[in-house]
Amino acid sequence: MKLQLYVPDGRYDPWIAGFAEALPEAQCVTWEDSRGEPADYAVVWRPPIDMLRGRTDLKAVFNLGAGVDGILRLRDEDPQALPAGVPIVRLDDAGMAAQMAEYVTSAVLRYFRRLDDYAAQAQAGKWKFLKPHRREDFTIGVMGIGTLGTHIARTLAGFGFPVRGWSRTARAVEGVVGFHGDAGRAPFLDGLRVLVNVLPLTPQTENILNGELFGKLAQGAYVINVARGQHLVEADLLAAVQAGQVAGATLDVFRAEPLPAEHPFWQEPRITITPHISALTLREDSIAQIAGKIRALRAGQPIAGVVDLQRGY
Ligand code: NAP
Ligand code: GLV
């Protein structure tokens, strides 16, 4: 059995060592060293266009992340870019849900407890009590109640916040008021104090965080984007922050990454920027999950996380 790996940073050694341990029956090779050779499985993150095109040898393509937009976007360049009939399998949690819940909860609590305001006061040597926000007025909406969003929503509900979730199809999560589909969008957004985006990037969700949406949130709402930069119309967020409609934002993902030095977000103190770290791919967890799925496939068993190519996630 042969596994062909592609990681954009070219740091293959730990991956090859990890797969050698988790799946000793497999030979693990890099894409660069094995171009044109057949393999049984590809394990990739944002692969180049010529890696998968026309392949008839692969039994599955494993994506080293939860979001598969980096693979599916290849179809925009060439409709034949993906191997026909080969399942694309995404990471299913693999240690990301806990990281996302930590990241989002810390951003919510920082805003809820006014810690940025106190930090600014401390900078000015000012000792001053600020009116606290009321938990019961602080409704939080999570867009995308899937693997990651469900864990985020449950964690926030555990802090006693009123939490709403929005998905494509109806989802029941204990302690979370569910909305779904186009009809559920307006009531989901209505009056939210915090909006968290953890949707996959698809043609339906691109640019979903825009001025029209911000106008439906409570005045002075807070926006947290941990999904993809292409979900956000960046100029609309800046305008909404400058107008006071949005109080601030925590952004982990951007249209251009790294965020260019001249980008106006860097100059806006109400926008907190992190470099796409809200849920990192954990190597050991990911290798263990992929090795388990390869074993299941070889035993003819079903696996979770197979991407629906029509739906786009
Ligand atoms: P998932 O399990 O597939 O969940 C996706 C959720 O979004 C589902 O609830 C789905 O609805 C909903 N959804 C999809 N399209 C929709 C639409 N048009 N309208 C309403 N709801 C829609 O995905 P996941 O594992 O939670 O990951 C979500 C995303 O997080 C990834 O795609 C990736 O972009 C991002 N991510 C970012 C980082 C980071 O470090 N920043 C790390 C990991 C992942 P249904 O439940 O009805 O299907
Ligand atoms: C990271 O962004 C992922 O999709 O896993």
Side-chain angles (χ1 to χ4, degrees):
M1 183 200 348
K2 198 193 254 186
L3 258 61
Q4 196 175 47
L5 281 178
Y6 178 80
V7 288
D9 66 5
R11 295 178 60 213
Y12 286 109
D13 290 353
W15 289 100
I16 290 176
F19 275 111
E21 199 172 319
L23 211 56
E25 63 272 37
Q27 183 199 0
C28 199
V29 292
T30 71
W31 155 243
E32 287 84 347
D33 287 346
S34 62
R35 255 168 211 259
E37 293 171 19
D40 297 284
Y41 301 98
V43 179
V44 302
W45 180 244
R46 298 188 182 281
I49 182 106
D50 50 344
M51 179 170 182
L52 303 174
R53 184 165 40 200
R55 300 277 296 259
T56 53
D57 50 324
L58 296 173
K59 298 180 180 71
V61 176
F62 290 93
N63 182 50
L64 286 173
V68 289
D69 45 294
I71 296 183
L72 301 194
R73 77 189 156 100
L74 298 174
R75 297 181 298 189
D76 299 341
E77 240 176 280
D78 177 354
Q80 311 303 324
L82 303 184
V86 176
I88 293 174
V89 187
R90 55 139 199 157
L91 285 181
D92 197 16
D93 186 350
M96 285 191 268
Q99 295 178 70
M100 274 293 186
E102 290 160 4
Y103 180 99
V104 171
T105 304
S106 63
V108 167
L109 294 180
R110 205 180 72 236
Y111 177 55
F112 176 64
R113 295 301 309 267
R114 307 193 63 170
L115 296 180
D116 286 343
D117 296 334
Y118 282 115
Q121 287 192 172
Q123 281 289 327
K126 203 194 253 180
W127 178 282
K128 184 172 172 262
F129 171 88
L130 298 171
K131 189 165 178 259
H133 294 303
R134 283 161 35 103
R135 194 182 305 267
E136 52 274 35
D137 298 339
F138 223 77
T139 303
I140 302 171
V142 180
M143 298 181 94
I145 288 287
T147 303
L148 305 180
T150 297
H151 194 61
I152 294 169
R154 280 203 187 113
T155 305
L156 293 169
F159 277 86
F161 293 111
V163 180
R164 299 178 192 162
W166 186 62
S167 47
R168 201 176 49 83
T169 57
R171 299 276 164 201
V173 179
E174 201 185 332
V176 176
V177 181
F179 298 83
H180 67 278
D182 290 344
R185 188 172 163 278
F188 162 77
L189 293 170
D190 186 36
L192 289 178
R193 291 298 302 274
V194 180
L195 180 72
V196 179
N197 175 43
V198 67
L199 287 165
L201 180 64
T202 68
Q204 289 71 40
T205 65
E206 190 169 4
N207 298 324
I208 196 166
L209 303 178
N210 58 35
E212 181 261 339
L213 176 144
F214 299 141
K216 296 193 180 329
L217 308 177
Q219 176 81 24
Y222 197 81
V223 173
I224 300 172
N225 187 19
V226 288
R228 287 291 182 262
Q230 290 83 350
H231 285 129
L232 174 66
V233 181
E234 294 179 340
D236 286 10
L237 178 68
L238 271 178
V241 168
Q242 280 153 12
Q245 173 58 30
V246 168
T250 290
L251 306 178
D252 185 48
V253 286
F254 302 89
R255 285 179 180 266
E257 294 181 4
L259 187 64
E262 65 282 7
H263 197 288
F265 283 169
W266 290 113
Q267 305 307 323
E268 174 47 75
R270 290 164 288 190
I271 295 181
T272 297
I273 293 163
T274 55
H276 202 140
I277 48 74
S278 53
L280 300 169
T281 292
L282 301 179
R283 195 182 306 113
E284 280 182 22
D285 298 53
S286 308
I287 289 174
Q289 185 172 108
I290 293 168
K293 288 183 180 182
I294 289 176
R295 290 211 171 92
L297 287 175
R298 289 169 75 79
Q301 293 160 359
I303 56 168
V306 175
V307 173
D308 179 330
L309 296 180
Q310 296 292 16
R311 222 175 47 170
Y313 68 97

